[in-house]
């Protein structure tokens, strides 16, 4: 296993564009997780209730959801590198502007701009990896590239908790702004992806119309799967920091450490093994196995009365979810034409963002009406609904 991992890392490091993209992803993740991981607690500190926190996260997430598909189309038309640079530039100002707010409603416009920045970034970030790689190496590169976001999740929540405890909330946003400014450097150095030949069938107008109908139908299962996983994680993501503080009376720094280990460290440890295991047992079978266990873990979450014992359950949930990423991304990119990778990424990203948009409101409503444990029961149901969708994911290898 170690020899295989070393071989994959060596091949990855030999490609300058992949190294630059990894650096961009890492810096973007550091900034995003620094601001977002403890965001519910910051909003609550400005006078918001749990339901109002959930509403704010949903309304800003809606902007990101609505732009996912158009941003994918723009990526295909104007170039993924340009869109990545624009998204980095857009991400710079919102964290800085957060420092001038005194009430939670004032965060809405800046939160929307922030969501737009990542709505532009994510589809291009996913599609450009496929542009740089071959079919044979794609799942391996995705498994390595997916380490970047967990790396930010490992460092930033703990750093954010410490910064808040020592210097206050504004320090978090100053550091995030500096990270995005630094991110512009590798963004500007990133080379354009190699030009690919377009399939003749795609050049013919009549064939293009037929392809549109078949194309969108074929993506429906991917969209639906992402929607339910987004609901599953989004229903509890906004309330978990509040849940930890109210149930276990822990500090902001301890919440940050919980998120860092529970998501960041876990997903770093799982990404490369996820690609290896999926290649051995089959990608769809592997995705099914991961999703089958997650609902049980969410139910188990509600029975745990110790902060320390809850951490392994959080690690298992996030670990299993993140292990499906390389397989689902590879299935998607193998399935779509080269010239439509951006819009395909946008459609599937819209699915998961729609789940993350609706989920917080569901979680906040269940919290305030039925009790603090019911959002976790709802997440278990949403992940169980993923299981009948997986068989409909088409596994088609195309020669492009």
């Amino acid at each position: 296993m170690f020899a295989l991992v070393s071989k994959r890392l060596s091949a990855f490091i030999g490609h300058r564009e992949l190294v630059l993209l990894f650096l961009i992803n890492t810096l973007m993740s550091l900034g995003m997780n620094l601001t977002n991981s403890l965001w519910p607690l910051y909003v609550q500190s400005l006078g918001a209730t749990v339901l109002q926190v959930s509403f704010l996260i949903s309304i800003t997430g809606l902007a990101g959801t609505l732009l996912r598909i158009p941003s994918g189309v723009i990526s295909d038309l104007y170039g993924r590198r340009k869109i990545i640079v624009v998204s980095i530039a857009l991400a710079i100002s919102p964290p800085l502007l957060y420092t001038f707010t005194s009430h939670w409603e004032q965060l809405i416009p800046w939160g929307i701009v922030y969501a737009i920045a990542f709505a532009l970034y994510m589809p291009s970030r996913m599609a450009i990896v496929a542009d740089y790689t071959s079919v044979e190496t794609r799942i391996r590169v995705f498994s390595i590239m997916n380490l970047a976001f967990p790396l930010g999740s490992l460092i930033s929540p703990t750093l954010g908790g410490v910064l808040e405890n020592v210097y206050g909330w504004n320090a978090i946003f100053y550091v995030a702004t500096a990270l995005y400014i630094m991110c512009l450097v590798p963004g500007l150095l990133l080379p354009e992806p190699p030009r690919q030949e377009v399939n003749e069938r795609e050049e013919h107008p009549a064939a293009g119309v037929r392809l549109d109908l078949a194309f969108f139908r074929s993506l429906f299962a991917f969209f639906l799967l992402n929607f339910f996983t987004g609901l599953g994680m989004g229903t509890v993501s906004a309330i978990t920091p509040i849940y930890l503080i109210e149930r276990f009376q822990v500090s902001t720094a301890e919440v940050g450490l919980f998120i860092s280990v529970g998501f960041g460290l876990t997903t770093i440890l799982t990404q490369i093994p996820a690609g290896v295991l999926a290649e051995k047992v089959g990608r769809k079978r592997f995705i099914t196995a991961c999703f089958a266990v997650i609902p049980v873990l969410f139910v188990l979450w509600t029975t745990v009365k110790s902060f320390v014992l809850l951490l392994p359950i959080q690690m298992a949930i996030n670990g299993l979810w993140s292990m499906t990423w390389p397989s689902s991304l590879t299935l998607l990119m193998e399935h779509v034409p080269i010239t439509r990778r951006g819009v395909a990424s946008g459609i599937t990203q819209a699915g998961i963002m729609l789940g993350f948009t609706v989920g917080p409101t569901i979680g906040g409503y269940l919290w305030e009406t039925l009790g603090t444990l019911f959002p976790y029961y709802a997440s278990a149901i949403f992940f169980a609904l993923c299981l009948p969708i997986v068989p409909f994911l088409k596994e088609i290898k195309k020669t492009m």
Side-chain angles (χ1 to χ4, degrees), residues 75-390:
S75 167
D76 288 336
L77 290 175
Y78 297 105
R80 315 195 205 287
R81 176 187 170 275
K82 293 177 185 175
I83 302 304
I84 287 174
V85 172
V86 169
S87 66
I88 296 170
L90 274 178
I92 291 172
S93 59
L96 188 61
L97 292 168
Y98 291 162
T99 64
F100 296 99
T101 59
S102 57
H103 202 268
W104 71 269
E105 288 99 333
Q106 296 170 350
L107 295 170
I108 294 175
W110 313 132
I112 289 174
V113 174
Y114 205 35
I116 290 171
F118 282 93
L120 290 171
Y121 176 73
M122 294 304 290
S124 292
R125 169 241 172 192
M126 290 169 59
I128 203 170
V129 175
D131 292 345
Y132 285 139
T133 56
S134 65
V135 172
E136 293 76 16
T137 62
R138 194 162 294 148
I139 191 170
R140 303 168 196 172
V141 174
F142 269 127
S143 65
I144 296 173
M145 194 65 71
N146 284 342
L147 293 171
F149 263 67
L151 186 60
S153 301
L154 173 64
I155 298 169
S156 290
T158 300
L159 175 61
V162 172
L163 286 173
E164 191 280 326
N165 278 358
V166 178
Y167 301 107
W169 286 107
N170 285 353
I172 295 175
F173 304 127
Y174 294 143
V175 174
T177 302
L179 287 168
Y180 292 131
I181 293 172
M182 291 169 55
C183 192
L184 276 175
V185 177
L188 294 170
L189 294 174
L190 190 69
E192 289 285 354
R195 296 185 64 85
Q196 306 277 3
E197 291 183 6
V198 180
N199 193 310
E200 290 180 4
R201 185 180 56 161
E202 297 172 36
E203 294 178 345
H204 194 280
V209 174
R210 290 194 297 271
L211 179 62
D212 282 343
L213 297 175
F215 174 72
F216 289 113
R217 273 201 308 268
S218 68
L219 289 180
F220 183 68
F222 288 97
F223 175 89
L224 205 58
L225 184 69
N226 277 275
F227 172 64
F228 281 119
T229 57
L231 277 177
M233 300 307 293
T235 297
V236 296
S237 61
I239 65 170
T240 292
I242 301 171
Y243 176 89
L244 295 174
I245 285 181
E246 290 196 3
R247 180 151 188 173
F248 302 112
Q249 291 77 52
V250 292
S251 67
T252 306
E254 288 172 308
V255 173
L257 182 62
F258 183 92
I259 297 170
S260 290
V261 176
F263 183 80
L265 177 62
T266 303
T267 45
I268 286 174
L269 295 176
T270 58
Q271 283 308 292
I272 293 179
V276 176
L277 291 170
E279 286 183 325
K280 289 188 174 182
V281 305
R283 286 166 291 193
K284 289 167 66 172
R285 185 181 301 172
F286 184 72
I287 293 171
T288 301
C290 291
F291 283 150
V293 180
I294 292 176
V296 178
L297 293 170
F298 270 118
V299 174
L300 187 60
W301 172 292
T302 64
T303 67
V304 176
K305 298 180 180 179
S306 165
F307 179 75
V308 175
L309 293 178
L310 195 60
L311 182 58
I313 297 175
Q314 173 81 341
M315 293 176 71
I317 290 171
N318 287 319
L320 289 168
W321 176 46
S322 68
M323 288 180 82
T324 67
W325 299 347
S327 296
S328 58
L329 285 171
T330 305
L331 284 171
L332 176 66
M333 291 304 164
E334 285 180 354
H335 185 67
V336 299
I338 290 169
T339 55
R340 300 197 172 198
R341 283 174 178 160
V343 68
S345 298
I347 290 170
T348 54
Q349 281 283 306
I352 197 165
M353 283 305 301
L354 183 60
F356 270 99
T357 298
V358 177
T361 300
I362 294 173
Y365 177 79
L366 291 174
W367 174 292
E368 295 201 348
T369 56
L370 298 179
T372 60
L373 300 180
F374 280 85
Y376 298 94
Y377 294 137
S379 290
I381 293 171
F382 291 138
F383 269 102
L385 291 172
C386 292
L387 293 172
I389 301 171
V390 177

Side-chain angles (χ1 to χ4, degrees), residues 12-43:
F12 181 89
I13 293 170
H15 293 80
R16 172 176 170 268
E17 65 276 5
L18 294 178
V19 173
L20 286 170
L21 188 59
F22 186 89
L23 181 58
I24 293 167
N25 286 337
T26 302
L27 288 170
M28 289 292 279
S29 177
L30 286 168
M32 183 184 72
N33 283 286
L34 196 59
T35 54
N36 289 1
S37 58
L38 302 174
W39 178 252
L41 300 179
Y42 174 64
V43 179

